[in-house]
Amino acid sequence: MITAIVRYRLPAHIDRAACRDHFETIAPGFQSVQGLLSKHFIWSERGVAGGVYQWASLADAEAFYSGPWRDGIIQRYGTAPEIEFFTVFAKTDNEAGTVTVIEPAPAGATSVAD
């Protein structure tokens, strides 16, 4: 599993309400994206917006970000997004009451806490 954090600076005319409204409009379209497990649409008072994406694989993420999505971000906001990828080792889901180990440690490995 891969987490991607995507950030881009919004033009001054796009405030919190406009960003929220746009995200609400486009959110359903992400349900059909190949390999996308979830997306959190994010905004900050510093005028930065983006998303925190959970992907099944790095290949799925890279394919999505290199396609029309990237061109749309540049066209809409006038800047290329910053994208940082992270490998997910484990996930705690308090809503579901689950802990999932995505990439277990090899047998016999010791942790930092040992």
Side-chain angles (χ1 to χ4, degrees):
M1 181 185 294
I2 298 295
T3 294
I5 299 177
V6 175
R7 294 177 298 274
Y8 44 84
R9 180 149 301 280
L10 295 171
H13 70 276
I14 299 178
D15 63 6
R16 182 184 194 278
C19 185
R20 180 202 58 230
D21 293 351
H22 177 68
F23 282 170
E24 182 178 337
T25 299
I26 67 170
F30 284 84
Q31 290 181 300
S32 61
V33 173
Q34 173 68 37
L36 181 64
L37 304 175
S38 69
K39 178 182 178 182
H40 294 258
F41 295 81
I42 58 175
W43 173 87
S44 83
E45 291 183 14
R46 295 184 358 254
V48 174
V52 178
Y53 299 71
Q54 298 292 312
W55 293 98
S57 72
L58 182 58
D60 288 330
E62 288 177 332
F64 178 76
Y65 297 130
S66 64
W69 174 89
R70 180 181 173 81
D71 297 337
I73 294 295
I74 294 169
Q75 183 179 44
R76 195 173 310 110
Y77 304 117
T79 185
E82 289 181 28
I83 304 170
E84 191 168 5
F85 297 104
F86 298 87
T87 298
V88 178
F89 295 130
K91 177 178 83 169
T92 299
D93 184 332
N94 290 336
E95 287 183 310
T98 61
V99 173
T100 305
V101 176
I102 312 294
E103 184 179 317
T110 58
S111 71
V112 176
D114 289 344

PDB file of all heavy atoms in Angstrom, residues 1 88-93 98-103:
ATOM      1  N   MET A   1       0.852  -1.176   0.000  1.00  0.00           N
ATOM      2  CA  MET A   1       0.000   0.000   0.000  1.00  0.00           C
ATOM      3  C   MET A   1       0.896   1.237   0.000  1.00  0.00           C
ATOM      4  O   MET A   1       1.930   1.264   0.635  1.00  0.00           O
ATOM      5  CB  MET A   1      -0.904   0.000   1.230  1.00  0.00           C
ATOM      6  CG  MET A   1      -1.833   1.201   1.284  1.00  0.00           C
ATOM      7  SD  MET A   1      -2.809   1.307   2.805  1.00  0.00           S
ATOM      8  CE  MET A   1      -3.844  -0.128   2.640  1.00  0.00           C
ATOM      9  N   VAL A  88       3.285   2.244   3.164  1.00  0.00           N
ATOM     10  CA  VAL A  88       2.496   2.037   4.373  1.00  0.00           C
ATOM     11  C   VAL A  88       2.844   0.664   4.938  1.00  0.00           C
ATOM     12  O   VAL A  88       2.665  -0.343   4.265  1.00  0.00           O
ATOM     13  CB  VAL A  88       0.983   2.134   4.065  1.00  0.00           C
ATOM     14  CG1 VAL A  88       0.164   1.863   5.319  1.00  0.00           C
ATOM     15  CG2 VAL A  88       0.652   3.486   3.464  1.00  0.00           C
ATOM     16  N   PHE A  89       3.314   0.639   6.174  1.00  0.00           N
ATOM     17  CA  PHE A  89       3.659  -0.621   6.821  1.00  0.00           C
ATOM     18  C   PHE A  89       2.497  -1.198   7.625  1.00  0.00           C
ATOM     19  O   PHE A  89       2.330  -2.404   7.726  1.00  0.00           O
ATOM     20  CB  PHE A  89       4.859  -0.452   7.754  1.00  0.00           C
ATOM     21  CG  PHE A  89       6.133  -0.096   7.033  1.00  0.00           C
ATOM     22  CD1 PHE A  89       6.898   0.972   7.455  1.00  0.00           C
ATOM     23  CD2 PHE A  89       6.574  -0.819   5.936  1.00  0.00           C
ATOM     24  CE1 PHE A  89       8.077   1.300   6.809  1.00  0.00           C
ATOM     25  CE2 PHE A  89       7.747  -0.496   5.281  1.00  0.00           C
ATOM     26  CZ  PHE A  89       8.504   0.569   5.725  1.00  0.00           C
ATOM     27  N   ALA A  90       1.695  -0.315   8.226  1.00  0.00           N
ATOM     28  CA  ALA A  90       0.567  -0.767   9.046  1.00  0.00           C
ATOM     29  C   ALA A  90      -0.480   0.335   9.069  1.00  0.00           C
ATOM     30  O   ALA A  90      -0.185   1.499   8.787  1.00  0.00           O
ATOM     31  CB  ALA A  90       1.025  -1.095  10.460  1.00  0.00           C
ATOM     32  N   LYS A  91      -1.711  -0.050   9.402  1.00  0.00           N
ATOM     33  CA  LYS A  91      -2.806   0.913   9.415  1.00  0.00           C
ATOM     34  C   LYS A  91      -3.707   0.639  10.613  1.00  0.00           C
ATOM     35  O   LYS A  91      -4.132  -0.498  10.833  1.00  0.00           O
ATOM     36  CB  LYS A  91      -3.602   0.784   8.111  1.00  0.00           C
ATOM     37  CG  LYS A  91      -4.815   1.674   8.025  1.00  0.00           C
ATOM     38  CD  LYS A  91      -5.510   1.530   6.688  1.00  0.00           C
ATOM     39  CE  LYS A  91      -6.428   0.355   6.688  1.00  0.00           C
ATOM     40  NZ  LYS A  91      -7.326   0.278   5.534  1.00  0.00           N
ATOM     41  N   THR A  92      -3.988   1.675  11.387  1.00  0.00           N
ATOM     42  CA  THR A  92      -4.972   1.611  12.462  1.00  0.00           C
ATOM     43  C   THR A  92      -6.217   2.329  11.982  1.00  0.00           C
ATOM     44  O   THR A  92      -6.141   3.487  11.568  1.00  0.00           O
ATOM     45  CB  THR A  92      -4.433   2.302  13.735  1.00  0.00           C
ATOM     46  OG1 THR A  92      -3.261   1.626  14.168  1.00  0.00           O
ATOM     47  CG2 THR A  92      -5.477   2.305  14.837  1.00  0.00           C
ATOM     48  N   ASP A  93      -7.353   1.644  12.009  1.00  0.00           N
ATOM     49  CA  ASP A  93      -8.625   2.233  11.600  1.00  0.00           C
ATOM     50  C   ASP A  93      -9.545   2.219  12.811  1.00  0.00           C
ATOM     51  O   ASP A  93     -10.157   1.196  13.134  1.00  0.00           O
ATOM     52  CB  ASP A  93      -9.217   1.442  10.434  1.00  0.00           C
ATOM     53  CG  ASP A  93     -10.486   2.059   9.883  1.00  0.00           C
ATOM     54  OD1 ASP A  93     -11.211   2.748  10.642  1.00  0.00           O
ATOM     55  OD2 ASP A  93     -10.776   1.843   8.699  1.00  0.00           O
ATOM     56  N   THR A  98     -10.022  -1.740  13.650  1.00  0.00           N
ATOM     57  CA  THR A  98      -9.058  -2.719  13.142  1.00  0.00           C
ATOM     58  C   THR A  98      -7.634  -2.159  13.111  1.00  0.00           C
ATOM     59  O   THR A  98      -7.425  -0.950  13.034  1.00  0.00           O
ATOM     60  CB  THR A  98      -9.413  -3.153  11.708  1.00  0.00           C
ATOM     61  OG1 THR A  98      -9.386  -1.995  10.850  1.00  0.00           O
ATOM     62  CG2 THR A  98     -10.788  -3.802  11.657  1.00  0.00           C
ATOM     63  N   VAL A  99      -6.706  -3.082  13.175  1.00  0.00           N
ATOM     64  CA  VAL A  99      -5.300  -2.794  12.913  1.00  0.00           C
ATOM     65  C   VAL A  99      -4.872  -3.789  11.844  1.00  0.00           C
ATOM     66  O   VAL A  99      -5.073  -4.993  11.991  1.00  0.00           O
ATOM     67  CB  VAL A  99      -4.428  -2.951  14.176  1.00  0.00           C
ATOM     68  CG1 VAL A  99      -2.954  -2.820  13.830  1.00  0.00           C
ATOM     69  CG2 VAL A  99      -4.826  -1.936  15.243  1.00  0.00           C
ATOM     70  N   THR A 100      -4.299  -3.278  10.767  1.00  0.00           N
ATOM     71  CA  THR A 100      -3.871  -4.123   9.662  1.00  0.00           C
ATOM     72  C   THR A 100      -2.380  -3.932   9.450  1.00  0.00           C
ATOM     73  O   THR A 100      -1.913  -2.801   9.271  1.00  0.00           O
ATOM     74  CB  THR A 100      -4.609  -3.745   8.361  1.00  0.00           C
ATOM     75  OG1 THR A 100      -6.013  -3.812   8.594  1.00  0.00           O
ATOM     76  CG2 THR A 100      -4.228  -4.669   7.224  1.00  0.00           C
ATOM     77  N   VAL A 101      -1.637  -5.022   9.473  1.00  0.00           N
ATOM     78  CA  VAL A 101      -0.215  -4.972   9.149  1.00  0.00           C
ATOM     79  C   VAL A 101      -0.102  -5.241   7.658  1.00  0.00           C
ATOM     80  O   VAL A 101      -0.488  -6.308   7.178  1.00  0.00           O
ATOM     81  CB  VAL A 101       0.592  -5.996   9.971  1.00  0.00           C
ATOM     82  CG1 VAL A 101       2.054  -5.985   9.535  1.00  0.00           C
ATOM     83  CG2 VAL A 101       0.462  -5.689  11.461  1.00  0.00           C
ATOM     84  N   ILE A 102       0.401  -4.255   6.933  1.00  0.00           N
ATOM     85  CA  ILE A 102       0.504  -4.354   5.477  1.00  0.00           C
ATOM     86  C   ILE A 102       1.780  -5.093   5.093  1.00  0.00           C
ATOM     87  O   ILE A 102       1.788  -5.930   4.209  1.00  0.00           O
ATOM     88  CB  ILE A 102       0.507  -2.950   4.827  1.00  0.00           C
ATOM     89  CG1 ILE A 102      -0.608  -2.067   5.360  1.00  0.00           C
ATOM     90  CG2 ILE A 102       0.514  -3.046   3.314  1.00  0.00           C
ATOM     91  CD1 ILE A 102      -2.000  -2.474   5.045  1.00  0.00           C
ATOM     92  N   GLU A 103       2.871  -4.735   5.755  1.00  0.00           N
ATOM     93  CA  GLU A 103       4.170  -5.363   5.479  1.00  0.00           C
ATOM     94  C   GLU A 103       4.790  -5.802   6.802  1.00  0.00           C
ATOM     95  O   GLU A 103       5.419  -5.009   7.493  1.00  0.00           O
ATOM     96  CB  GLU A 103       5.104  -4.378   4.774  1.00  0.00           C
ATOM     97  CG  GLU A 103       6.425  -4.979   4.373  1.00  0.00           C
ATOM     98  CD  GLU A 103       7.324  -3.986   3.656  1.00  0.00           C
ATOM     99  OE1 GLU A 103       6.846  -3.239   2.795  1.00  0.00           O
ATOM    100  OE2 GLU A 103       8.527  -3.964   3.979  1.00  0.00           O
TER     101      GLU A 103
END
